[in-house]
Amino acid sequence: MLSGQHKLNEPAVKSAPPAKGQNVFAPWLDADARPLVEFRDVRKTFGDFTAVDGVSLEIFPREFFALLGPSGCGKTTLLRMLAGFETPTSGQILVDGQDISTIPANQRPINMMFQSYALFPHLTVEANIAFGLKRSKMPKDEIAERTQRMLKLVQMERFAGRKPHQLSGGQRQRVALARSLAKNPKILLLDEPLGALDAKLREQTQFELMNIQETLGTTFIIVTHDQVEAMTVSSRIGLMNHGVLEQVATPADIYENPTSRFSADFIGAVNLIEGVSGGKADHGGEAFLEFRAAAEGAGEFLARTNKQVDAGAQCWLALRPEKIHVSREKPADAVNAVEGHVDDIAYSGNLSTYYVRLADGAIIKAQEANRRRVANRELTWEDPVWLSWTPGSGVVLTH
């Protein structure tokens, strides 16, 4: 589990080992586990442009691994090099310990499902699934058996005789998935596979993908720019930015313990409060980092952190909106609190996001669950409020 400048086998964020007897899938925490895919200091340049810049990464058997990042960050280029459609400028890519740089794309134990699905319009669903099997000269009875198994896996038996134009987007996606899995690849690569689906169908299909992956035990590697999709389906996420891996960790680790402002800001909503370290401070017999906000009058806060941050060093406090409590009065036991007024409210059904303007003009977002009907909401526009949070709610970042 590596970020751009980490050594092999050194995790960017060390997760706690699972409790004794707990059934947790986490081969990256097992020193004896052998990765299925290894990128070793892989670079890819196109003329003067560096698309992938020294990426080292390990992906383990049966993982559902997500490469996540903004457009142009290098995630698709990394996927295409693994598939054999691009050649690394330098570095190695290994599958099962074997360097695959000289192996043609059609001979690698890898299949790729494209965003466009690339179904043959003149063939039926059944024939589309069987196409690759026929090309591999598999016996006819085995082709029929494997095709029927794939149709059942993606719940498309009733539509076996239809052609792609007679199917919905979600159904075409299932056919493309079945065709990609028919040859039983060790690794399935998915390039933005759900991008063409509407929000409801995308959510449903995410869980179908997870169930199929778990049933087959095939290693899935998905490329997406959708944070929610990556958080939902993956065992781990490789978050990419400008050709390097910013962070590689489980969805929960990246959300709760981002290692950079980019990681904190890209995954979910966050408040990034700039400030300086005031050094270690004692509070109730426990050591905290004293954080002094840069904005005048914004305040001094306490933050729990295991980072070594020198007094006077520039840093940022990353606060998730749902970890901030909004109240009319300052809580008597609040360690960290700041006063402002409600500048705007975003209503999302189950949640309301309050945009609170502080005295210096800065905006802090805080989220509250809508336990009451909106008509009975306690807070509204222009109300004076207090925002408070515990020392453990924020994450101190140094870059």
Side-chain angles (χ1 to χ4, degrees):
M1 181 165 62
L2 310 167
S3 63
Q5 298 177 356
H6 282 73
K7 297 176 182 177
L8 285 173
N9 297 322
E10 182 185 356
V13 173
K14 293 187 178 181
S15 306
K20 189 175 182 180
Q22 192 176 1
N23 185 20
V24 176
F25 176 76
W28 51 88
L29 298 179
D30 183 355
D32 296 325
R34 181 182 174 187
L36 177 61
V37 177
E38 294 178 79
F39 293 89
R40 295 183 178 177
D41 196 24
V42 172
R43 288 175 54 85
K44 179 63 179 178
T45 58
F46 297 94
D48 295 334
F49 176 70
T50 301
V52 175
D53 192 5
V55 166
S56 293
L57 172 67
E58 295 178 350
I59 299 173
F60 292 84
R62 299 182 60 204
E63 272 209 81
F64 201 139
F65 192 93
L67 287 168
L68 174 68
S71 297
C73 70
K75 57 188 186 295
T76 298
T77 302
L78 201 64
L79 199 76
R80 287 177 62 83
M81 286 190 287
L82 178 57
F85 302 140
E86 299 286 353
T87 303
T89 304
S90 63
Q92 286 182 302
I93 301 176
L94 286 74
V95 173
D96 256 348
Q98 180 186 6
D99 189 338
I100 60 171
S101 59
T102 60
I103 300 176
N106 63 348
Q107 294 179 25
R108 298 184 182 192
I110 297 169
N111 236 338
M112 189 163 182
M113 180 178 159
F114 297 95
Q115 184 177 6
S116 64
Y117 307 148
L119 299 177
F120 297 110
H122 62 289
L123 297 181
T124 65
V125 166
E126 187 173 15
N128 261 286
I129 295 172
F131 182 81
L133 302 177
K134 291 178 180 177
R135 291 286 297 270
S136 65
K137 296 183 170 43
M138 180 182 286
K140 285 186 178 180
D141 58 338
E142 289 186 30
I143 291 174
E145 188 273 332
R146 183 76 60 85
T147 302
Q148 290 304 311
R149 188 149 56 93
M150 290 297 109
L151 284 167
K152 184 177 181 180
L153 181 70
V154 298
Q155 300 175 30
M156 289 292 290
E157 301 104 310
R158 292 189 300 126
F159 307 97
R162 291 192 184 182
K163 292 185 177 179
H165 73 274
Q166 298 172 308
L167 304 174
S168 68
Q171 290 169 337
R172 288 195 294 271
Q173 189 266 353
R174 291 185 191 185
V175 177
L177 179 63
R179 186 180 65 180
S180 300
L181 290 169
K183 292 180 71 174
N184 197 26
K186 284 185 179 179
I187 304 161
L188 180 64
L189 310 180
L190 303 104
D191 185 12
E192 302 276 7
L194 311 183
L197 306 183
D198 62 69
K200 282 277 189 183
L201 185 56
R202 187 183 303 126
E203 182 180 347
Q204 175 188 334
T205 309
Q206 286 167 5
F207 287 95
E208 290 177 355
L209 273 179
M210 293 163 63
N211 290 334
I212 289 169
Q213 190 269 341
E214 189 173 349
T215 299
L216 295 177
T218 305
T219 300
F220 279 23
I221 303 175
I222 186 172
V223 158
T224 181
H225 63 269
D226 187 319
Q227 312 159 26
V228 175
E229 185 170 288
M231 296 278 284
T232 301
V233 304
S234 64
S235 53
R236 285 189 303 157
I237 295 172
L239 182 58
M240 294 194 69
N241 182 30
H242 296 303
V244 301
L245 283 167
E246 282 277 341
Q247 187 171 354
V248 181
T250 65
D253 272 343
I254 288 185
Y255 189 83
E256 298 287 352
N257 300 297
T259 56
S260 68
R261 284 178 290 158
F262 177 84
S263 293
D265 197 33
F266 195 83
I267 299 283
V270 72
N271 299 288
L272 287 169
I273 304 172
E274 186 178 358
V276 295
S277 167
K280 292 292 183 179
D282 182 81
H283 179 77
E286 193 171 357
F288 294 96
L289 181 76
E290 191 177 86
F291 178 89
R292 296 171 183 162
E296 184 179 350
E300 295 185 358
F301 311 121
L302 295 180
R304 181 180 286 114
T305 181
N306 56 10
K307 293 185 176 75
Q308 292 296 324
V309 186
D310 295 334
Q314 183 183 30
C315 52
W316 291 263
L317 186 65
L319 271 172
R320 299 292 183 187
E322 72 275 10
K323 299 187 187 301
I324 301 175
H325 178 60
V326 188
S327 58
R328 289 189 177 275
E329 305 294 333
K330 181 180 181 180
D333 59 347
V335 176
N336 299 316
V338 65
E339 190 176 13
H341 69 271
V342 178
D343 193 68
D344 214 339
I345 304 172
Y347 176 73
S348 306
N350 60 328
L351 296 171
S352 285
T353 303
Y354 296 91
Y355 292 76
V356 177
R357 187 177 295 277
L358 308 186
D360 68 335
I363 296 286
I364 291 184
K365 293 173 286 189
Q367 281 181 342
E368 295 279 330
N370 290 322
R371 298 181 180 87
R372 303 181 181 185
R373 290 186 175 274
V374 68
N376 300 323
R377 186 163 53 196
E378 292 181 352
L379 300 173
T380 190
W381 286 265
E382 302 302 327
D383 279 356
V385 292
W386 282 89
L387 304 177
S388 57
W389 60 91
T390 65
S393 295
V395 178
V396 176
L397 304 172
T398 56
H399 69 284

